[in-house]
Amino acid sequence: MASRVFLVVLLFLLCTSLSFSLYEDQVGLMDWHQQYIGKVKHAVFHTQKTGRKRVVVSTEENVVASLDLRHGEIFWRHVLGTNDVVDGIDIALGKYIITLSSDGSILRAWNLPDGQMVWESFLQGSKHSKPLLLVLINLKVDKDNVILVSSKGCLHAVSSIDGEVLWRKDFTAESLEVQKVIQLHDSGKIYVVGFSGSSQFHVYKINALDGELLKHESATFSGGFVGEVALVSSDTLVALDATRTVLVTIVFKDGEIKFQETYISNLVGDTSGVAMILPSTLKGTFALKINTLMLFIRVAGEGKLEVVEKVDHATVVSDALSFSEDKQAFAVVQHGGNKIHLTVKQGDDWNSDLVKENIELDHLRGNVHKVFVNNYVRTDRSHGFRALIVMEDHSLLLVQQGKIVWNREDSLASIIDVTTSELPVEKDGVSVAKVEHNLFEWLKGHLLKLKGTLMLASPEDVVAIQAIRLKSSEKSKMTRDHNGFRKLLIVLTKAGKIFALHSGDGRVVWSLLLPSLRKSEACDNPTGLNVYQWQIPHHHVMDENPSVLVVGRCGFSSNAPGVLSFVDAYTGKELYSLDLAHSIVQVIPLPFTDSTEQRLHLLVDADRRVHLYPKTPEAKSTVEQEISNIYWYSVEADNGIIKGHVIKSKCIGKGADDFCYDTGNLWSIVFPSESEKIIATVTRKPNEVVHTQAKVSVDQDVMYKYISKNLLFVATVSPKASGAIGSVDPEESSLVAYLIDTVTGRVLHRMSHHGAQGPVHAVFSENWVVYHYFNLRAHRYEMSVIEIYDQSRAENKDVLKLILGKHNLTAPVSSYSRPEVVTKSQSYYFTHSVKALAVTLTAKGITSKQLLIGTIGDQVLALDKRFLDPRRSINPTQAEKEEGIIPLTDALPIIPQSYITHALKVEGLRGIITVPAKLESTTLVFSYGVDLFFTRLAPSRTYDSLTEDFSYALLLITIVVLVAAIFVTWVLSDKKELREKWR
């Protein structure tokens, strides 16, 4: 009887345990996904009474998106190709979004409510010209709006219903540079105006219905034009002469063209600076900018110019907006301190303001770059106005009634570099979300979870369980955890803004628009380059904050002077910045720190001199002690040269100081330009940990990995194969892979792939490299793997030598000793094109490796490295199967469950970053493009931890029940034994 009771209880517990192991979909619990659009450059509003109010925008990241005007959320979005730059957008028939892109060669129509493409037209032409888009209004032919596109030296008329080209006018023979296409009011006629050469002005009058040329007039202006024009009416333009000192009013009507000259100095007095006509559509008025001075100039009768208003600080003007019959309004936005001053004026009345508001910003966002204005009707039938404002930091704000309705941090769509930082150690007053539960609450929570597991929970219990999970979740705490899951992701964006994102939920902890990377008189084109870890306190972790180094330059050229900024990783405050006298072409983080735990860096300038930072005597002493062990290389891809460098002596000459060193070339490899061109280089990550150097094969043979941080993978192609895929015949194309020691310049391995072509994406880890390319002969993508082993240690297989200590495992390895290496390689077909390649990293390097492949579909695929084992064979032996070698196939498998992004997309995927957690089984993965995605990945499963929702209550109940069952069976057994003795 006792044994039966024990078996029944045990069976019940086993069943409950099995049912507990069935988990719900955990997508979103350990990952997060954020969508962005980038810096807005065009916007059109759609605020009709029917349907949702929205604004459709195009951005510098080649995104076309529809945003909700109430909350700023994305209704729909399309990310066009990298080279498919959007030139203009408009609305046709009230239901189609028209986009012109690819330098005016592609015209598309999108359905306004859902973003589905309606049609696409390819516009042909033989000459480059400025792309212009115009949707004719009040001109409908069979319920069709005619769309006019000026591009490729031609004027195209396209149907808005089906995208058919109705007619085409070619201006190539006249060498005309079209500046404006103007619709004449309430007629089917248009003016096409432009310049040929630098001084000839042309006006074409064309029938918009059939393209018939009605009239052509031209005139010559002796002063020449620079190509900037402002349209002030249907028959009047204002342009700048070739010297930018004279404003030329051009009036064309009644078949006559007249030029009226006005010197800018007569309007504003003596001023220095380059004059620019700002693009705007103000009726009868235009804006002229000279440095920070903004002039609003009205064109009076007979082409005379009158200054209406002067503004002597940063000002942005919107296009004109028609808000009632024969009335126009426009917005003027000025930025001062942390406030935005918004003024909406009526086009014909500059003395009165329709709207005048001051909006306070929550933090520094820089200057206003663009403004788009829209009107609405208030309940009292008066007109109100809202403004969509694009800031210097690429953020997007909607302002209405003096308040910021919503804002979007779209600078995160243009990340250029990423590093990580640990969170603060938890202590009193540090933890932001410290969770404390008493024993009763703890038991109550686990009992509710147990009821949910056994599917006995009521709807109220389910709500309580979700609330408890949300309350007890520790993934978003602002302190570091013992597993190393919580970190700060420090990202640098194209706008010069740096963000700290919490790895738990992706929220912005802090952000900073770096003053050193803002446009100024001293730095006209600031450019952010990289972000590095600068100071990581270990000994004073409770008292000091870590900091990061942001590297930039003042210009796009490699000769431009450099800029350094040092930022506190916890607070986001800029500690200090340096404007350098030298340029920066390469940054070399050294594996040394000083007594304050600042990491030493070498900055290489355009003259191949290196500069040491931080500039302290201690750092200088450390470098000079290790100067014989400092090597680096440089790649000149355009010239086909790779060079190795060393430090020679102190700098001599201009700009020399005690922390500047001259360098010397140690070796160089020159690839013949007629046969090879460098298209890809990759090396190992400096922070990668290798657990063991030995690899035991199936026959108990020991192979020793050739582990060196100085190995460089180089891929070259024949010059004809450097173009797009399919642009060359297989016989003329070849790809060559090299493994080069960067200390000696020795080529350790060379492999040729005949009939192959780039682009090449590669990843280097431990002793192997995997690279992806296109096979022209097979018309398929391929991935190849090369593994390199050290043969000089082959004699260490003798166990007796190991016992006697006569092995050479501990002998130092030098790049100058000629290595005895052997390589193993294999190639496989792969289905997808690739955007990025990465490999998982763990704390000790014990866990199996997985390749992270960013596919052309903007998803991230995790592929086990075992599939890229060069030892795979068609019929593996039993011993090989036991080792885990997979049978050979010609193609690598694509397992849908292996997409770590699940059903999500990282639109515009550009990079994948992997960071080891403290837990050996887990690596953190951050992928970025226009979107952001973060997740935790366990390549060999979580073998060293319990799951977060593990029910300790169920474990406790199981132990209690088992102890009780043992006690009961013990009592029953004693009673049974006593009865047997009485017999």
Side-chain angles (χ1 to χ4, degrees), residues 50-68:
T50 59
R52 295 179 175 178
K53 292 178 173 58
R54 65 184 76 208
V55 57
V56 182
V57 299
S58 69
T59 71
E60 292 184 354
E61 301 300 320
N62 302 339
V63 176
V64 179
S66 174
L67 304 180
D68 183 6

Side-chain angles (χ1 to χ4, degrees), residues 46-239:
H46 186 266
T47 55
Q48 296 180 358
K49 293 182 179 179
T50 59
R52 295 179 175 178
K53 292 178 173 58
R54 65 184 76 208
V55 57
V56 182
V57 299
S58 69
T59 71
E60 292 184 354
E61 301 300 320
N62 302 339
V63 176
V64 179
S66 174
L67 304 180
D68 183 6
L69 268 182
R70 295 182 182 272
H71 309 291
E73 297 172 350
I74 299 174
F75 280 141
W76 54 262
R77 178 186 62 162
H78 292 287
V79 181
L80 307 182
T82 306
N83 299 320
D84 198 2
V85 179
V86 181
D87 303 309
I89 62 173
D90 209 334
I91 296 181
L93 299 176
K95 61 180 180 179
Y96 294 155
I97 296 297
I98 307 299
T99 62
L100 181 66
S101 60
S102 293
D103 201 22
S105 62
I106 302 178
L107 189 69
R108 298 182 179 96
W110 313 87
N111 195 29
L112 183 60
D114 57 12
Q116 295 294 319
M117 184 188 293
V118 181
W119 50 259
E120 181 180 44
S121 292
F122 295 90
L123 307 179
Q124 305 297 324
S126 58
K127 178 187 174 184
H128 171 75
S129 62
K130 180 171 69 175
L132 300 172
L133 173 65
L134 175 66
V135 177
L136 299 181
I137 57 176
N138 300 324
L139 178 63
K140 290 189 176 181
V141 182
D142 297 329
K143 299 181 180 181
D144 182 10
N145 274 139
V146 178
I147 303 169
L148 296 179
V149 177
S150 173
S151 66
K152 303 291 183 180
C154 303
L155 181 66
H156 306 81
V158 183
S159 168
S160 62
I161 295 179
D162 55 11
E164 179 186 359
V165 177
L166 303 176
W167 53 264
R168 176 173 175 265
K169 173 67 177 174
D170 194 344
F171 295 107
T172 307
E174 294 89 341
S175 300
L176 180 71
E177 287 289 340
V178 177
Q179 299 297 321
K180 295 288 181 181
V181 179
I182 309 165
Q183 181 183 5
L184 301 181
H185 295 295
D186 300 326
S187 70
K189 310 297 188 296
I190 59 171
Y191 280 140
V192 178
V193 298
F195 306 118
S196 62
S198 60
S199 58
Q200 192 78 10
F201 178 75
H202 295 265
V203 180
Y204 294 83
K205 188 175 183 180
I206 298 175
N207 189 337
L209 301 179
D210 54 14
E212 179 187 0
L213 178 61
L214 304 177
K215 188 181 292 186
H216 173 213
E217 302 289 341
S218 65
T220 302
F221 178 69
S222 58
F225 300 101
V226 293
E228 296 176 8
V229 298
L231 178 67
V232 294
S233 69
S234 60
D235 56 9
T236 306
L237 293 173
V238 177

Side-chain angles (χ1 to χ4, degrees), residues 907-946:
E907 294 283 4
L909 179 65
R910 291 191 300 272
I912 303 172
I913 304 297
T914 57
V915 182
K918 291 181 181 177
L919 206 62
E920 170 56 29
S921 64
T922 308
T923 183
L924 309 179
V925 181
F926 177 63
S927 53
Y928 61 91
V930 176
D931 296 344
L932 308 181
F933 180 81
F934 177 89
T935 190
R936 298 203 309 253
L937 190 62
S940 300
R941 300 182 181 272
T942 51
Y943 56 83
D944 52 358
S945 65
L946 298 173

Side-chain angles (χ1 to χ4, degrees), residues 562-807:
V563 176
L564 301 182
S565 180
F566 303 86
V567 181
D568 189 306
Y570 288 170
T571 64
K573 294 181 179 178
E574 186 177 43
L575 303 176
Y576 60 96
S577 64
L578 299 174
D579 294 327
L580 308 182
H582 59 83
S583 59
I584 302 175
V585 297
Q586 191 175 356
V587 179
I588 307 169
L590 298 176
F592 314 121
T593 59
D594 59 13
S595 58
T596 62
E597 298 184 277
Q598 290 181 340
R599 190 168 183 181
L600 276 56
H601 290 71
L602 291 179
L603 274 58
V604 185
D605 64 18
D607 297 326
R608 288 299 166 189
R609 298 193 297 184
V610 296
H611 305 264
L612 173 64
Y613 291 87
K615 293 189 173 184
T616 61
E618 183 184 359
K620 176 186 173 185
S621 175
T622 302
V623 167
E624 290 180 354
Q625 288 176 9
E626 300 288 341
I627 199 168
S628 60
N629 294 321
I630 298 176
Y631 303 86
W632 71 96
Y633 68 93
S634 62
V635 179
E636 301 175 20
D638 294 337
N639 300 324
I641 301 175
I642 301 177
K643 296 179 180 179
H645 307 279
V646 292
I647 296 176
K648 289 181 64 177
S649 60
K650 292 286 185 67
C651 290
I652 301 175
K654 185 179 179 181
D657 58 19
D658 289 341
F659 305 95
C660 174
Y661 301 90
D662 283 325
T663 65
N665 292 337
L666 192 60
W667 54 267
S668 63
I669 298 176
V670 180
F671 297 94
S673 58
E674 64 276 4
S675 60
E676 293 185 69
K677 180 180 180 180
I678 300 173
I679 59 169
T681 59
V682 69
T683 186
R684 279 183 57 199
K685 285 192 174 182
N687 61 338
E688 184 183 27
V689 178
V690 180
H691 175 62
T692 178
Q693 190 179 358
K695 184 174 184 179
V696 182
S697 61
V698 293
D699 55 358
Q700 305 304 313
D701 188 18
V702 180
M703 297 183 294
Y704 292 96
K705 303 173 186 177
Y706 187 81
I707 304 295
S708 173
K709 292 185 178 181
N710 300 318
L711 274 185
L712 173 68
F713 169 80
V714 180
T716 67
V717 294
S718 52
K720 291 184 178 180
S722 59
I725 292 176
S727 60
V728 64
D729 294 332
E731 292 76 15
E732 299 176 310
S733 176
S734 65
L735 184 147
V736 185
Y738 295 88
L739 291 179
I740 299 173
D741 189 304
T742 58
V743 174
T744 62
R746 184 178 291 117
V747 177
L748 301 180
H749 182 68
R750 181 182 185 275
M751 175 181 285
S752 297
H753 301 272
H754 296 289
Q757 189 179 6
V760 172
H761 297 274
V763 61
F764 207 140
S765 177
E766 294 189 353
N767 68 318
W768 53 266
V769 61
V770 171
Y771 51 102
H772 176 276
Y773 54 93
F774 189 77
N775 188 329
L776 289 169
R777 297 182 188 275
H779 301 284
R780 298 174 71 177
Y781 289 100
E782 279 188 2
M783 291 184 78
S784 293
V785 57
I786 301 174
E787 292 186 357
I788 183 168
Y789 295 93
D790 189 352
Q791 285 293 94
S792 63
R793 304 192 175 204
E795 59 186 22
N796 294 326
K797 302 171 188 176
D798 193 337
V799 179
L800 182 60
K801 288 187 176 181
L802 291 173
I803 296 173
L804 298 176
K806 294 184 177 181
H807 59 84

Side-chain angles (χ1 to χ4, degrees), residues 523-570:
C523 187
D524 192 40
N525 291 302
T527 306
L529 299 176
N530 299 101
V531 57
Y532 299 92
Q533 292 179 342
W534 175 253
Q535 185 179 23
I536 307 176
H538 294 95
H539 305 298
H540 306 283
V541 67
M542 306 294 285
D543 306 317
E544 296 182 2
N545 294 352
S547 57
V548 295
L549 166 65
V550 180
V551 180
R553 63 165 68 110
C554 282
F556 303 111
S557 170
S558 59
N559 295 319
V563 176
L564 301 182
S565 180
F566 303 86
V567 181
D568 189 306
Y570 288 170

